[in-house]
Amino acid sequence: MCGIAGAIGLCGHEIECAVKRMKESLVHRGPDDQGLFKSEINTEGQGVILAHQRLSILDVSSAAAQPMHDLHTGDVLSYNGEVYNFAQLRESLGREPSRWQSTGDTEVVFKAMQQWEASAPSHFNGMFAFAYYESSKQHVYLVRDRLGIKPLYYAHVDDGKTLLFASEVRALLASNLIARTLDPVSLSTYLWNGFVVGPNTIVKDIKLLPAGSLATVQIDDPKIVPTSYWELPDQGDRTSKPSDVQDALNESVEKRMCSDVPLGVFLSGGVDSSAVTAMAVKASEAPVSTFNIAFEETNCDESAYAEAVAKSLGTDHSRIVLTETVFAQQLESAMASLDQPTFDGINTYFVSRAVREAGLTVALAGTGGDELFGGYTSFAEVPRAAAVSKRLGVLPGSLSKKLARSLMRIKSGKPGVVPPQTRWGKLSDVFEGGGDLVATFQISYALYTMDFIAQLSHRQTVVEYGLNDLEQWREKTRNSSNLFSVSTLELAQFIGQRLLRDTDSTSMAVSLEVRVPLLDHNVVEMVAGLNDETRFSPLGRKQMLRDLALSDLDPSIFERPKSGFVMPIDQWCRRSLSNMMTEVFEDEDLCRSVGLEPRAVRAIWRAFCEGSPGIYWSRVWAIFSLMWWCRLHHVELAS
């Protein structure tokens, strides 16, 4: 796992210095080694610069150093990721064993691109983002993995004559060639979702290469037009069997156990992480190390469940206590690990930091189980809310709003200075959705009501239901069942746009590689081929995953209400973090610089502090994260 950066097009001294700054800003992603390649510059001043920071995982020798350069052809690769089927690909490439210079996956990716060119990524199983310079054709392939586990950002400078790219938004900012201007469209999607929806980023001129896409960039004309080589599967022929899924899961975990450095598993004690742990134990000849974060606050501490799973599976288990004091002391480092503002992410930072400090370089996580097997309440609530909204569509708008307000008061009680921003507070928005499933899904996950978003930012560019591509997702889910559609949206939005990006930046901030075996594309495709009854029933239990991976464990371990990994941030915001957050929320100049109305910002902070109904910690943390990040990186709305 690594950090990459580079430039395509005009590559004079200023651009070379900018790439070097970008590379140096990525040292946390790859502290083990570094490299820089600059091609010959043509008569027009055009060429390629590729940079690399290395975190050594497979073949830690210098033979796998990057950028990897073929002196005979002039081709060069700068690669971030892991391709787990590299051993099979090595055989498919048909090269004599003596002709391989290294034992890891980097050279395999390099030779595959040389031999198969644009079709090569469809052969790769793993997580990756890379730049491959094909010297003879004077172009560069920019590629990103299917699910978008590894990010790749880009921006044009010099009036479009040079394309810069990097593993992080912050690396592109470090070039000092990109205006630190906040994107109003991104602000709109952020205020709705608590994260920026790609391909935009929080910075106006920086874009995200879409997941599962490839772009061919010419040196003499560095435009970028991504083309898709993989998409989330539609609900077509349902021919998969549970045994097919089990085989795909076992193979996925086994491949991700390959490492030349210490490896462990995040174990929360829930179904998903326990399933990954159980499969890892079966795939490993040596004892598996597992890690769990515990809290002094008993209402958030589920370490007893993790310890029960670890004991049953015989893992080498470590319980790491995260106290409020340590959280407060390390908060600045945690916030600095965020590559873009997000209301989530810092939990992964603290878990990753603890595991890294315990001596591990690679960790497996159970990400994806809820989205694939119907673990969230959204699978039941979103279709039900959409159906109710459709029936109420015959009512006049004023009457449906009055009904929504009445139900909100009955369920939530008397509102505070800011009305509830959770389920019952959003009823009016749901009723306006008219039964549209995608709109209802987005409303269910919205951080704020439409009314309060309007109060928060009068200057915002309105993006309908917080999505840049609403019609695309309506079309994508049009012919699917409700359950399949919710799963698709969970994978695309919650996983693809938020969780994977947050995990990448916060784990790489401490030089830890996180692998997500449940999101192997073969697993995703195989699960998509199941019928809904087999896949989802009974809703919320993830029974199929339990049957496939946890049949040897006592089922009573998992018979408890679903909570997920939740830190006691709600309590800490009111105690040790209160002064810091108050200072940010009362900074009117900072509010205005990021497009927020100071009065609304102060109001929701006051509502949270007073314990008003329906004002959860995430509603204030999202604003805090936005303002903190923009202040740290000097990003503001254009005046």
Side-chain angles (χ1 to χ4, degrees), residues 601-618:
V601 170
R602 288 196 303 271
I604 197 164
W605 176 237
R606 176 185 162 193
F608 172 78
C609 293
E610 292 177 351
S612 298
I615 308 296
Y616 295 166
W617 70 269
S618 55

Side-chain angles (χ1 to χ4, degrees), residues 10-82:
L10 288 181
C11 288
H13 177 70
E14 183 182 24
I15 294 296
E16 184 175 356
C17 291
V19 173
K20 288 179 179 178
R21 289 193 294 270
M22 291 159 62
K23 179 180 71 68
E24 290 164 2
S25 76
L26 294 168
V27 68
H28 56 277
R29 296 182 69 95
D32 297 331
D33 198 5
Q34 59 84 32
L36 184 78
F37 165 83
K38 184 177 182 180
S39 72
E40 290 187 9
I41 303 300
N42 65 22
T43 56
E44 302 297 322
Q46 298 159 335
V48 173
I49 303 173
L50 300 180
H52 194 267
Q53 289 290 159
R54 184 184 184 193
L55 179 64
S56 301
I57 304 292
L58 296 174
D59 190 350
V60 299
S61 74
S62 60
Q66 296 189 56
M68 188 168 280
H69 188 189
D70 187 328
L71 297 177
H72 298 292
T73 64
D75 299 343
V76 185
L77 174 71
S78 187
Y79 158 66
N80 165 35
E82 302 287 351

Side-chain angles (χ1 to χ4, degrees), residues 84-100:
Y84 304 112
N85 63 331
F86 72 94
Q88 295 93 320
L89 291 175
R90 188 190 294 266
E91 296 179 3
S92 300
L93 289 166
R95 293 168 58 87
E96 293 294 328
S98 60
R99 295 181 62 192
W100 292 97

